[in-house]
């Protein structure tokens, strides 16, 4: 399952534009194919993704060989870390 949000281009300028809150985020390749989901403080996770290609609590939902590099992102804000974990569990169960 995917988040019902529009994709946003993954680039460094986005880090300063996102809210400093916990979130569930979804990474996609340039074609819009979902790579996987992660949770965490959104600006920190974006920095990790831009530096290393994935965040600290990232879960691949497809074989990394079948998709391109992370190029797009979308997210759902959470109230706190447990809420973000709940949102992630719901996505991984679908």
């Amino acid at each position: 399952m995917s988040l019902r949000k529009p994709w946003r281009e993954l680039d460094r300028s986005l880090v300063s534009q996102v809210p400093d809150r916990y979130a569930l985020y979804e990474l996609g390749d340039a074609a819009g194919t979902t790579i996987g989901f992660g949770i965490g403080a959104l600006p920190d996770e974006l920095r990790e993704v831009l530096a290393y290609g994935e965040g600290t609590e990232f879960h691949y939902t497809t074989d990394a060989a079948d998709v391109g590099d992370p190029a797009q992102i979308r997210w759902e804000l959470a109230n706190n870390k447990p809420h973000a974990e709940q949102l992630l569990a719901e996505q991984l169960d679908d």
Side-chain angles (χ1 to χ4, degrees):
M1 184 102 185
S2 294
L3 297 176
R4 294 187 181 258
K5 305 274 183 169
W7 287 111
R8 300 206 39 194
E9 184 178 346
L10 182 60
D11 64 30
R12 296 201 183 283
S13 67
L14 190 58
V15 174
S16 64
Q17 298 173 23
V18 299
D20 190 12
R21 292 187 43 198
Y22 272 95
L24 165 69
Y25 63 91
E26 177 181 5
L27 292 178
D29 66 9
T33 302
T34 298
I35 296 171
F37 295 90
I39 60 167
L42 196 51
D44 295 340
E45 291 298 307
L46 282 175
R47 286 184 198 96
E48 290 285 322
V49 168
L50 290 164
Y52 304 110
E54 64 184 61
T56 54
E57 293 189 45
F58 189 74
H59 303 271
Y60 287 96
T61 57
T62 187
D63 183 358
D66 293 338
V67 294
D69 293 328
Q72 301 183 82
I73 189 168
R74 51 187 167 197
W75 61 85
E76 180 77 34
L77 294 177
N79 298 324
N80 49 39
K81 185 175 182 178
H83 184 215
E85 291 169 342
Q86 176 188 353
L87 293 172
L88 175 61
E90 290 169 3
Q91 285 299 317
L92 296 177
D93 285 344
D94 284 344

